[in-house]
Amino acid sequence: MPTGGGVGRVRVLGREDLPAVLRLLGQRPIENVFVGSRIRAAGVAAASLGCPIWGYERDGELRSMCHAGANLVPVNADSDAVAAWVEFAGPERTCFSIIGPSEVALDLWRRLSHRWGSTWSKVREVRPRQPVMAIFDQPLVTPDPGVRRMGLEHWDSYYEAAVKMYTEEVGVSPVQGNPAGYRFYVRQLISSGRAFGLIQNGRVVFKADVGSVAGSVCQVQGVWLDPALRGRGLAAPAMAKVVQLARTIAPTVSLYVNDYNKPARATYARVGFTDVGEFATIHY
């Protein structure tokens, strides 16, 4: 991880920082799509975004920043920024995960753990290698025409599939503690035209959604196929159709996947996704 010179400082960013923030996000648009999507939708100010953005300045210039909400997400960080954020964060953890480029996210977690102890060090799971993949053109596989945008008439079945996907992927149910919040989130995905699914016998058996959009990049998440249908060659054509639909939202389609999920990685590669980076996720 590179280290810069000069003395740096951390401050919470505000509306006046938006031009500098957008320039920073634009340096690595695929890597930064989650934070970029949130800021483009709600701005930089904590009151509108719902959480603060920690900016790291050096020599009077914004060099890095960190989304400090339910997810702690570093943006364009070097080791000086990470060290400064560790001190700024303090001993009380309010996030539920740390997500970002693998080297940076793991370094941030280790330093927070060393500095502040078990509040930061005690985790539920660490996923150190999650390839970031992207596709920049049409899919290489013939799309499944049955995959389509979901409407609110599909709400119940899509929501059920979303809960199964999340529980399988993360290891806990998304409705624990705040069921209304997750229901609202899924409803928003459907209402915004970013939820896609395949229906068989009145039931959603494949789903995916676009969770983040920033400029020319969107990020697909929540990909799930009914376990009873896996291994039949259905995933690649379904995912190819998702790419087609997602590219009507933004031309570059990205995602990240656990390195140990070899079937999913093979499916995405078959569709035409290539590796463009690597993330890590620390779950609390």
Side-chain angles (χ1 to χ4, degrees):
M1 187 187 304
T3 302
V7 177
R9 68 166 185 143
V10 177
R11 66 178 176 87
V12 174
L13 301 180
R15 292 186 183 89
E16 68 279 3
D17 297 300
L18 182 59
V21 164
L22 293 177
R23 284 195 297 270
L24 199 63
L25 291 166
Q27 292 177 17
R28 302 171 190 170
I30 295 175
E31 179 181 299
N32 297 330
V33 64
F34 168 75
V35 178
S37 178
R38 295 215 63 213
I39 286 175
R40 286 175 180 270
V44 179
S48 57
L49 188 62
C51 70
I53 299 289
W54 303 339
Y56 176 73
E57 292 180 327
R58 191 168 56 233
D59 301 325
E61 181 182 348
L62 182 66
R63 301 297 183 93
S64 311
M65 59 187 186
C66 188
H67 173 279
N71 303 307
L72 199 63
V73 187
V75 171
N76 294 34
D78 62 17
S79 60
D80 292 341
V82 170
W85 291 334
V86 167
E87 294 303 315
F88 194 78
E92 293 189 19
R93 176 181 58 81
T94 57
C95 67
F96 297 104
S97 64
I98 300 172
I99 305 172
S102 183
E103 183 181 357
V104 175
L106 293 172
D107 186 46
L108 178 58
W109 168 56
R110 288 166 182 153
R111 292 201 202 190
L112 284 164
S113 300
H114 179 75
R115 178 68 176 89
W116 301 115
S118 62
T119 302
W120 289 98
S121 64
K122 188 176 181 180
V123 300
R124 183 164 50 83
E125 184 183 22
V126 177
R127 299 183 179 184
R129 290 175 296 278
Q130 298 175 302
V132 179
M133 308 181 77
I135 184 169
F136 306 91
D137 209 332
Q138 291 298 323
L140 303 179
V141 174
T142 301
D144 183 340
V147 175
R148 62 186 190 271
R149 277 187 171 86
M150 297 286 96
L152 289 176
E153 67 273 19
H154 309 119
W155 153 253
D156 288 332
S157 185
Y158 194 86
Y159 176 74
E160 180 182 349
V163 171
K164 289 179 180 178
M165 175 282 304
Y166 188 101
T167 305
E168 180 180 335
E169 170 64 19
V170 180
V172 297
S173 172
V175 301
Q176 286 183 353
N178 185 21
Y182 192 70
R183 289 177 68 86
F184 177 77
Y185 172 71
V186 174
R187 187 179 183 89
Q188 286 293 99
L189 287 172
I190 295 174
S191 298
S192 63
R194 297 183 185 180
F196 315 114
L198 174 64
I199 297 174
Q200 291 183 357
N201 300 319
R203 188 170 61 90
V204 173
V205 296
F206 168 85
K207 70 164 289 292
D209 36 76
V210 170
S212 301
V213 183
S216 63
V217 180
C218 64
Q219 185 180 83
V220 172
Q221 61 184 27
V223 181
W224 178 83
L225 178 65
D226 188 325
L229 300 177
R230 294 174 190 174
R232 302 185 185 182
L234 301 177
M239 195 65 202
K241 185 62 178 180
V242 169
V243 169
Q244 274 194 340
L245 293 167
R247 293 190 79 239
T248 67
I249 299 171
T252 297
V253 182
S254 69
L255 52 80
Y256 62 100
V257 58
N258 295 312
D259 66 330
Y260 54 77
N261 192 344
K262 294 182 179 179
R265 293 177 65 184
T267 293
Y268 299 144
R270 184 182 169 199
V271 171
F273 285 85
T274 57
D275 289 2
V276 295
E278 184 177 81
F279 274 6
T281 300
I282 297 92
H283 288 293
Y284 287 99

